[in-house]
């Protein structure tokens, strides 16, 4: 439904109902309402005489959407082929491969948005600015369960995640006429935070061939990097003696990585480096992204270029397990030219010593912040030049 009063006060309302057979028998239908309000202030009498303002609108919207992106038959206990041995004879059979969940239902996201549209000088300068806050609940996640059940995971609705940030777009027509110049600038931020998970608030660990490398826990971004936090490099034997005892380093020596004592079993630093000291080491979410496009035109010629930047995101470089571990089992990154060689030659203070058998000494290749790298970049993404001819 759309409604406009005097071309100043705007309302839009929608309602939709969706049904998916992927969910439990009694929870297949989702209901998703939304509405938006707009106020065109430039149409009000008190702004009619302000010639520099050609457009000024305030917007507010609220809406709910659903997600059903799970495998087909995700709520049903499926069977898979499996062979049985009966009296020494191999018999074809079936085994249950997934746990049924008749209560499985839609993942829902509720978003609130506040926006501003501002046009100046006959819209030669036009600004769009938005603040958004999205709460996603009943996440569709494969959750680890006790192996006593005979399964490793089960698909559940669990947890709540928040995304909030700003989006700003500015467009300007700097020159008009035979020679034209237009500029588009965009800037956006997004903060992702897990608000809740299971009843006990226990984190969810994600593992692969490189072991457990990601964690989803309350208070941090979903899928954050997980490992030990590097706290410098041992410079001498006294440094090793004065540092927390590292239970994961069989025989550390000067030049090995020093790791931070984050916490013991009770959440308080205990003077020992143990698997309990693994924590969040970074996130792939950037602090902000931006872009700027300039377009020029003169008669039949046009030229444009786009710069793009991402700031604050981090990359978990799993290749560095082999190329930045100091063991030289493979070719190494050039950063090892700046490695620690001695207390008198500490290198750049970030790269440990070369050690063919690190696993028997400092265990420098363990999952840690040493393998997390800055992913920020700035680049010329696109550049075009055109010529238009008429005959």
């Amino acid at each position: 439904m759309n409604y406009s009063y005097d071309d100043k006060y705007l309302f839009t309302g929608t309602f939709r109902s969706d049904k998916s057979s992927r969910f439990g028998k009694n929870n297949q239908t989702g209901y998703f309402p939304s509405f938006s309000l707009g106020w065109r202030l430039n149409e009000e009498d008190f702004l009619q005489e302000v010639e520099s303002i050609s457009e000024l609108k305030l917007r507010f919207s609220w809406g709910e959407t659903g997600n059903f992106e799970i495998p087909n038959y995700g709520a049903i206990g499926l069977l898979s082929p499996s062979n049985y041995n009966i009296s020494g004879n191999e018999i074809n059979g079936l085994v249950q491969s997934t746990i049924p969940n008749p209560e499985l239902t839609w993942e829902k996201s509720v978003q609130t948005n506040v926006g501003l549209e501002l046009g100046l000088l006959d819209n030669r300068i036009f600004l769009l600015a938005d603040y958004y806050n999205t709460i996603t609940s009943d996440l569709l996640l494969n959750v680890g369960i006790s192996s006593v059940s005979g399964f490793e995971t089960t698909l559940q609705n669990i947890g709540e995640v928040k995304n909030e940030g700003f989006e700003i777009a500015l467009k300007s027509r700097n020159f008009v006429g035979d020679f034209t110049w237009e500029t588009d600038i965009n800037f956006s931020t997004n903060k992702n935070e897990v608000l809740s998970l299971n009843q006990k608030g226990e984190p969810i660990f994600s593992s692969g061939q490189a072991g457990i490398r990601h964690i989803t826990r309350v208070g941090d971004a979903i899928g954050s990097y997980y490992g030990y936090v590097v706290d410098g490099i041992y410079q001498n034997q006294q440094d090793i003696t004065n540092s927390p005892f590292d239970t994961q380093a069989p025989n550390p020596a000067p030049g090995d990585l020093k790791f931070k004592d984050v916490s013991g079993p009770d959440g308080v630093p205990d003077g020992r480096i143990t698997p309990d000291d693994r924590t969040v080491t970074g996130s792939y979410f950037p602090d902000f992204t931006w872009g700027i496009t300039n377009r020029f035109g003169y008669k039949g010629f046009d030229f444009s270029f786009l710069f793009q930047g991402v700031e604050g995101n981090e990359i978990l470089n799993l290749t560095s397990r082999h190329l930045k571990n100091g063991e030289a089992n493979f070719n190494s990154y050039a950063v090892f030219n700046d490695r620690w060689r001695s207390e008198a030659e500490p290198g750049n203070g970030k790269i440990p010593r070369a050690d063919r058998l690190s696993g028997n000494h400092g265990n420098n290749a363990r999952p840690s912040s040493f393998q997390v790298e800055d992913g920020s970049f700035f680049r010329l993404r696109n550049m075009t030049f055109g010529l238009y001819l008429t005959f």
Side-chain angles (χ1 to χ4, degrees), residues 49 53 87 128 190 192 223 255 286 332 335 344:
E49 302 302 322
I53 298 178
S87 301
L128 291 172
N190 180 70
N192 178 276
S332 297
V335 293

Side-chain angles (χ1 to χ4, degrees), residues 198-231:
N198 42 55
Q199 293 180 346
K200 297 181 180 180
E202 296 176 342
I204 297 175
F205 299 97
S206 301
S207 62
Q209 292 184 347
I212 299 176
R213 294 287 184 150
H214 296 82
I215 183 174
T216 298
R217 69 179 186 183
V218 175
D220 292 303
I222 191 169
S224 297
Y225 306 141
Y226 181 67
Y228 296 88
V229 177
V230 173
D231 195 26

Side-chain angles (χ1 to χ4, degrees), residues 275-347:
D276 290 327
D277 290 300
R278 290 175 297 175
T279 187
V280 169
T281 56
S283 171
Y284 51 89
F285 286 99
D287 295 331
F288 61 87
T289 62
W290 62 274
I292 179 170
T293 301
N294 281 281
R295 290 182 294 273
F296 304 90
Y298 181 72
K299 296 184 178 180
F301 297 89
D302 68 80
F303 173 68
S304 67
F305 57 88
L306 165 63
F307 285 102
Q308 182 189 36
V310 175
E311 185 66 33
N313 68 311
E314 291 154 321
I315 297 173
L316 177 58
N317 183 3
L318 291 180
T319 306
S320 64
R321 291 180 301 149
H322 309 293
L323 304 185
K324 203 169 73 170
N325 64 8
E327 294 183 350
N329 293 321
F330 303 87
N331 196 6
S332 297
Y333 288 142
V335 293
F336 260 85
N337 291 324
D338 296 322
R339 67 186 181 273
W340 188 96
R341 289 179 169 84
S342 68
E343 190 172 0
E345 295 182 84

Side-chain angles (χ1 to χ4, degrees), residues 126-197:
F126 200 88
L127 171 70
L128 291 172
D130 287 273
Y131 164 79
Y132 65 89
N133 183 299
T134 303
I135 304 294
T136 303
S137 58
D138 294 330
L139 301 174
L140 292 165
L141 296 176
N142 280 300
V143 181
I145 57 176
S146 173
S147 59
V148 175
S149 65
F151 300 89
E152 294 183 356
T153 62
T154 180
L155 187 58
Q156 297 181 15
N157 291 108
I158 188 171
E160 193 173 67
V161 174
K162 178 176 71 172
N163 286 277
E164 67 173 338
F166 293 91
E167 294 179 343
I168 299 174
L170 178 65
K171 181 180 180 67
S172 66
R173 291 183 294 157
N174 308 311
F175 290 94
V176 295
D178 289 340
F179 173 74
T180 63
W181 174 23
E182 296 181 355
T183 301
D184 291 336
I185 301 173
N186 64 77
F187 175 89
S188 64
T189 68
N190 180 70
K191 181 182 179 182
N192 178 276
E193 181 183 359
V194 178
L195 300 180
S196 66
L197 286 174

Side-chain angles (χ1 to χ4, degrees), residues 232-254:
I233 294 178
Y234 295 125
Q235 296 300 315
N236 48 50
Q237 186 59 46
Q238 184 178 0
D239 193 4
I240 298 174
T241 303
N242 295 336
S243 298
F245 176 69
D246 192 344
T247 65
Q248 307 303 299
N251 187 21

